[in-house]
Amino acid sequence: MNATSGNAPDSFLKLENFLCFAIYSTANAVTRAYQPRLAALGLTYPQYLVMVVLWERENQTVKSIGEKLSLDSGTLTPLLKRLESAGLITRRRDTVDERQVLIGLTDDGRTTRKRAEAIPIAIGQAFGCTLGEAKDLRAELMTVRDNLIASIDKAK
Amino acid sequence: MNATSGNAPDSFLKLENFLCFAIYSTANAVTRAYQPRLAALGLTYPQYLVMVVLWERENQTVKSIGEKLSLDSGTLTPLLKRLESAGLITRRRDTVDERQVLIGLTDDGRTTRKRAEAIPIAIGQAFGCTLGEAKDLRAELMTVRDNLIASIDKAK
DNA sequence: CACAATTTAATTGTGTGCGATTTAATGCGT
DNA sequence: ACGCATTAAATCGCACACAATTAAATTGTG
């Protein structure tokens, strides 16, 4: 019996055993990997995700974008204002329900999509795994993510 | 041929296909899941990771901690100052090599370990997967992470 | 030994994330 | 119609991440 035996609460507190650290650290690496390519489009990684959501469908509310990305208005409002200043999106109050703000794309915002198409392919190669492996990993992560979110919600 | 056919660069720009988004979003969920438990110890999630590194070995340099967590001094210096103000760690210049700052634990910092031991077990349950699945997922992620970091380094 | 290159932290500035609160608009029950 | 709960964004404060730069100490080389 020694420190490498792998049982006891001890081993749960070792960094090398942490799934959460693997997730955290990989996420940081993803952002760093995207950064040089996105900088060429004048985007940060979270801004890019917002643009992806809008490229799929224009004129969504802040809430709708927030649900898709699991981000709240505290994060999105300033981010969207920056995208607006950059001339990529539009923000206007919904005339029917004035609580809502509708986010649309400018011509520039739509055009940027073309330039963005090469990025996921390049990053996919940097991941160093096959499309099938990526798909499996993505599915497993989304399951874990949904479980975590469910347990957070349950605690409320 | 339609929008759901799944080929063409088009499908690479769909959020639901993004491995990177799965990683990003799961990482955010991990932080939120840890937050209430860590708040009871007065720690944030990145601070907790630093403590885990120090619980494994005391008196490491900022660089050594940074290598283990893939964080630079721009992130670590202010974080470590906060842990110092909280009375959990000590910071002192190495007298042999005065470029380095050695990070140690206070009695309080060492004691906090005991209270932290229950956390990974509770979070592990929130993940909703078996220990084996977690181990596999962790290994796959670390491979992806290392590939990403290698591709970032290669670009320099 | 001199001194340029390297190494280690700290600093600065920008952009997230998120808890908590606030503001304004809408819905809903009586 | 009234008032109250609910909802949607915005705001505020704090703590990361990280690129870029700076400052100080050490190392390596002639």
Side-chain angles (χ1 to χ4, degrees):
Chain A
M1 188 66 79
N2 58 46
T4 63
S5 61
N7 50 6
D10 191 63
S11 70
F12 287 109
L13 262 180
K14 288 195 176 300
L15 189 65
E16 57 174 343
N17 296 333
F18 277 27
L19 173 55
C20 66
F21 171 68
I23 296 166
Y24 161 85
S25 188
T26 308
N28 287 344
V30 164
T31 303
R32 289 198 300 273
Y34 266 95
Q35 194 273 334
R37 297 170 200 276
L38 289 176
L41 307 187
L43 293 173
T44 64
Y45 181 68
Q47 288 170 6
Y48 166 70
L49 290 179
V50 169
M51 294 304 291
V52 168
V53 168
L54 290 171
W55 286 327
E56 287 183 17
R57 187 163 68 80
E58 293 196 32
N59 296 315
Q60 297 189 58
T61 63
V62 174
K63 180 181 170 59
S64 159
I65 297 171
E67 281 170 351
K68 282 171 180 118
L69 299 179
S70 289
L71 294 174
D72 68 7
S73 67
T75 300
L76 285 174
T77 296
L79 186 157
L80 292 168
K81 284 183 177 174
R82 280 187 282 271
L83 285 177
E84 187 184 32
S85 322
L88 295 173
I89 68 165
T90 58
R91 297 165 69 239
R92 60 188 162 81
R93 286 276 163 191
D94 185 338
T95 49
V96 179
D97 183 343
E98 294 214 340
R99 287 172 303 182
Q100 302 185 144
V101 169
L102 290 171
I103 309 298
L105 288 171
T106 62
D107 286 344
D108 228 29
R110 274 183 287 267
T111 308
T112 303
R113 178 184 179 145
K114 281 266 176 294
R115 297 203 286 151
E117 276 170 359
I119 296 181
I121 298 160
I123 298 292
Q125 292 178 347
F127 277 122
C129 56
T130 67
L131 267 179
E133 287 167 343
K135 198 180 165 190
D136 291 348
L137 188 50
R138 193 199 61 75
E140 290 168 37
L141 279 170
M142 290 308 267
T143 301
V144 164
R145 184 191 89 116
D146 293 343
N147 289 341
L148 282 174
I149 290 174
S151 93
I152 295 165
D153 290 343
K154 200 163 54 182
K156 286 180 183 169
Chain B
M1 189 67 76
N2 58 46
T4 62
S5 62
N7 51 5
D10 190 63
S11 70
F12 287 110
L13 263 180
K14 288 194 178 300
L15 190 64
E16 56 175 340
N17 298 332
F18 278 28
L19 173 55
C20 65
F21 171 68
I23 296 165
Y24 161 86
S25 190
T26 307
N28 286 346
V30 164
T31 303
R32 290 198 300 273
Y34 266 95
Q35 195 273 335
R37 296 168 199 278
L38 289 176
L41 307 187
L43 292 173
T44 64
Y45 181 69
Q47 287 169 9
Y48 166 69
L49 290 179
V50 168
M51 293 304 289
V52 168
V53 168
L54 290 171
W55 287 327
E56 288 184 16
R57 188 164 66 80
E58 293 197 31
N59 296 315
Q60 297 188 56
T61 63
V62 174
K63 180 182 170 59
S64 159
I65 297 170
E67 281 170 352
K68 282 171 181 117
L69 299 179
S70 289
L71 294 173
D72 68 7
S73 67
T75 300
L76 286 175
T77 297
L79 186 157
L80 292 168
K81 284 181 177 175
R82 281 187 283 271
L83 285 178
E84 187 185 31
S85 324
L88 295 173
I89 68 165
T90 59
R91 296 165 69 241
R92 60 187 161 80
R93 286 277 163 189
D94 185 338
T95 48
V96 178
D97 182 345
E98 293 214 339
R99 287 172 304 183
Q100 302 186 142
V101 170
L102 290 171
I103 309 298
L105 289 171
T106 63
D107 286 344
D108 229 29
R110 272 183 289 267
T111 308
T112 302
R113 178 182 179 150
K114 280 267 175 293
R115 296 204 286 151
E117 275 169 3
I119 296 180
I121 297 159
I123 297 292
Q125 291 177 349
F127 277 123
C129 58
T130 67
L131 267 179
E133 288 167 342
K135 197 180 164 189
D136 290 348
L137 189 50
R138 193 199 61 77
E140 289 167 38
L141 279 169
M142 290 307 269
T143 301
V144 164
R145 184 191 90 117
D146 293 343
N147 288 341
L148 282 173
I149 290 174
S151 93
I152 295 164
D153 290 344
K154 200 163 54 183
K156 286 179 184 169

